[in-house]
Amino acid sequence: MAAVKEQKRVFSGIQPSGVLHIGNYLGAIKQFVKLQYTHNAIFCVVDEHAITVPQKPQELRRNTLNTAMLYLASGIDPKEAIIFVQSQVPAHTELAWILNTITPLGELERMTQFKDKVQSQAKEAGVFAGLLNYPTLMAADILLYRTDAVPIGDDQKQHIELARSLAERFNNHFGNTFSMPEPLIEEDTARIMSLQDPTKKMSKSDDNTKSYIHLLDTPDDIRLKIKSAVTDSGKEIVYDRKKRPAISNLISIYRGYTKMTFKEIEDQYKEKTYADFKNDLAEVIIGELAPLQKRFQELSADKTGFEHILRDGARRAKSIADTTLQDVKQKMGFFI
Ligand code: ATP
Ligand code: LTN
């Protein structure tokens, strides 16, 4: 029998800035799949966020469709959750503009993700205002759906704080309108690190392709990337984020895919070498990605069915978002 859903709303988004990696899966999508059965769930491909750094039109289009397809291939079911592309629902940018007028500039300038991206973008294309205003658009995404919970990886906590403070400021000024969103973070896998540098998070926009495993990587690629993942100076397979960040990162990935506890993994590999552990880890990942990759191929073969899912999702999302936006505009004194 289907689980009875709580009325609580869950919303989250992923940028189509490249092919999704196992960090995106373990930190975010895996939770999305679980939550769709117990909550009113909405999952978005946030293409308007992706353009805060330069994108090539053809790549943006391809990455947008691939990200949505990977949502479905990972097990998000359009009968259980709404899946849509952000730019198909204009209320997001309209509410973002309104929220920009109550967002303190200092709070945007303090955002860690902004400061990091300024560093990398300054050397490349330059820094544009959209990058600074990114968290306000994210707050709009969340608040439009009167969201209660936002499943995310660790790096997004600060942005949820801003969404909360904007909700509170708006509610205090104009009357109760928005719910207070809570971050939902799966601690053990909230921050999967780069396979090449365990001090940096695994990221789709990393130039070194060996630093991440794409959800669509071939078995050979996966074996190679795990084999060349950096390790610490010791020999034992023990979880200790501070003293052995590299092996601990690999153990977290193993845990994320097998559901074994850290202790069970340590016990299983007590007498084994790093090479044994890495071989097994590669096979675990290959085995877990195989059904997802198969579903991805099937979905790619039915473009019409897939596009219908996205258009239907946008229609359903729009109807919820427009109701909130009308309420906001009416409370603020707009002519409607
Ligand atoms: P980019 O490198 O282009 O900024 P990204 O790989 O960080 O992209 P996002 O689209 O920003 O991916 O993130 C999508 C979701 O995946 C977010 O909830 C984010 O917190 C989560 N996430 C991203 N990277 C990781 C990671 N290394 N470990 C765990 N979760 C992650
Ligand atoms: N900023 C997020 C992506 C994102 C998001 C959202 C996540 C945009 N809007 C709303 C949750 C809810 C990121 O870079 N991972």
Side-chain angles (χ1 to χ4, degrees):
M1 208 175 75
V4 178
K5 291 200 188 196
E6 290 180 42
Q7 284 314 300
K8 291 224 153 87
R9 160 118 336 119
V10 156
F11 180 96
S12 197
I14 296 189
Q15 301 186 67
S17 47
V19 181
L20 301 188
H21 53 70
I22 57 173
N24 298 130
Y25 178 80
L26 295 174
I29 299 182
K30 195 174 148 197
Q31 294 199 75
F32 299 178
V33 176
K34 248 194 291 170
L35 289 164
Q36 69 180 338
Y37 297 112
T38 50
H39 288 67
N40 267 317
I42 307 182
F43 302 117
C44 183
V45 180
V46 288
D47 52 351
E48 289 166 333
H49 279 87
I51 60 164
T52 57
V53 300
Q55 301 288 338
K56 298 198 178 85
Q58 269 187 353
E59 274 176 26
L60 181 66
R61 197 166 299 122
R62 192 181 57 232
N63 287 334
T64 300
L65 296 180
N66 277 352
T67 303
M69 234 181 239
L70 282 169
Y71 274 172
L72 297 170
S74 303
I76 297 174
D77 178 350
K79 290 197 209 74
E80 300 288 350
I82 297 176
I83 301 177
F84 75 104
V85 176
Q86 184 185 32
S87 59
Q88 298 217 299
V89 179
H92 288 246
T93 43
E94 199 170 343
L95 182 61
W97 175 255
I98 290 171
L99 293 179
N100 263 321
T101 65
I102 59 163
T103 306
L105 190 54
E107 285 192 32
L108 294 176
E109 285 166 341
R110 270 197 297 279
M111 291 290 171
T112 316
Q113 184 170 307
F114 171 68
K115 289 196 275 187
D116 288 349
K117 292 216 168 169
V118 163
Q119 297 272 332
S120 57
Q121 288 304 304
K123 284 182 239 134
E124 293 175 22
V127 177
F128 298 95
L131 196 61
L132 180 72
N133 292 328
Y134 175 115
T136 313
L137 177 59
M138 177 161 164
D141 300 339
I142 296 167
L143 300 182
L144 266 182
Y145 299 94
R146 306 193 208 253
T147 300
D148 300 295
V150 189
I152 35 151
D154 191 53
D155 59 322
Q156 297 299 312
K157 252 199 234 161
Q158 213 184 6
H159 292 160
I160 307 289
E161 276 309 311
L162 179 74
R164 290 170 62 86
S165 79
L166 293 181
E168 194 176 311
R169 187 165 301 132
F170 189 96
N171 288 348
N172 287 341
H173 265 72
F174 300 107
N176 206 19
T177 311
F178 298 123
S179 331
M180 243 346 131
E182 298 280 348
L184 278 183
I185 298 179
E186 195 84 63
E187 288 304 336
D188 295 335
T189 48
R191 203 169 170 77
I192 300 297
M193 309 310 274
S194 154
L195 299 177
Q196 292 297 314
D197 177 357
T199 64
K200 272 177 29 191
K201 95 175 173 101
M202 185 177 284
S203 159
K204 330 186 192 85
S205 28
D206 198 316
D207 292 334
N208 185 349
T209 56
K210 283 195 176 162
S211 70
Y212 48 69
I213 293 180
H214 278 162
L215 297 182
L216 298 175
D217 272 349
T218 64
D220 282 348
D221 284 342
I222 296 172
R223 287 187 193 106
L224 191 77
K225 288 181 181 182
I226 294 289
K227 204 170 169 189
S228 50
V230 298
T231 39
D232 316 288
S233 51
K235 276 204 185 108
E236 291 102 42
I237 290 125
V238 285
Y239 183 84
D240 184 335
R241 280 263 173 201
K242 280 212 179 77
K243 293 200 190 117
R244 293 162 179 267
I247 192 71
S248 299
N249 186 40
L250 298 182
I251 295 176
S252 290
I253 298 173
Y254 196 102
R255 172 171 164 70
Y257 276 114
T258 60
K259 302 179 190 69
M260 286 167 72
T261 63
F262 291 130
K263 169 93 177 44
E264 284 166 346
I265 298 169
E266 286 174 356
D267 285 349
Q268 181 166 317
Y269 289 94
K270 225 182 201 113
E271 310 292 327
K272 305 269 175 72
T273 63
Y274 275 174
D276 296 328
F277 176 70
K278 280 180 158 185
N279 284 338
D280 288 358
L281 174 61
E283 296 313 313
V284 163
I285 300 172
I286 292 166
E288 289 292 317
L289 292 186
L292 180 155
Q293 296 183 348
K294 184 165 172 273
R295 279 197 296 272
F296 187 87
Q297 295 312 332
E298 289 161 4
L299 288 161
S300 313
D302 177 17
K303 283 259 161 35
T304 319
F306 168 68
E307 286 187 11
H308 173 76
I309 291 172
L310 291 187
R311 292 194 199 287
D312 187 54
R315 187 186 51 76
R316 291 161 65 200
K318 185 170 186 302
S319 135
I320 304 167
D322 285 351
T323 307
T324 310
L325 187 62
Q326 280 299 92
D327 185 23
V328 165
K329 289 167 87 171
Q330 201 243 332
K331 285 191 168 122
M332 293 182 78
F334 280 94
F335 173 67
I336 53 174

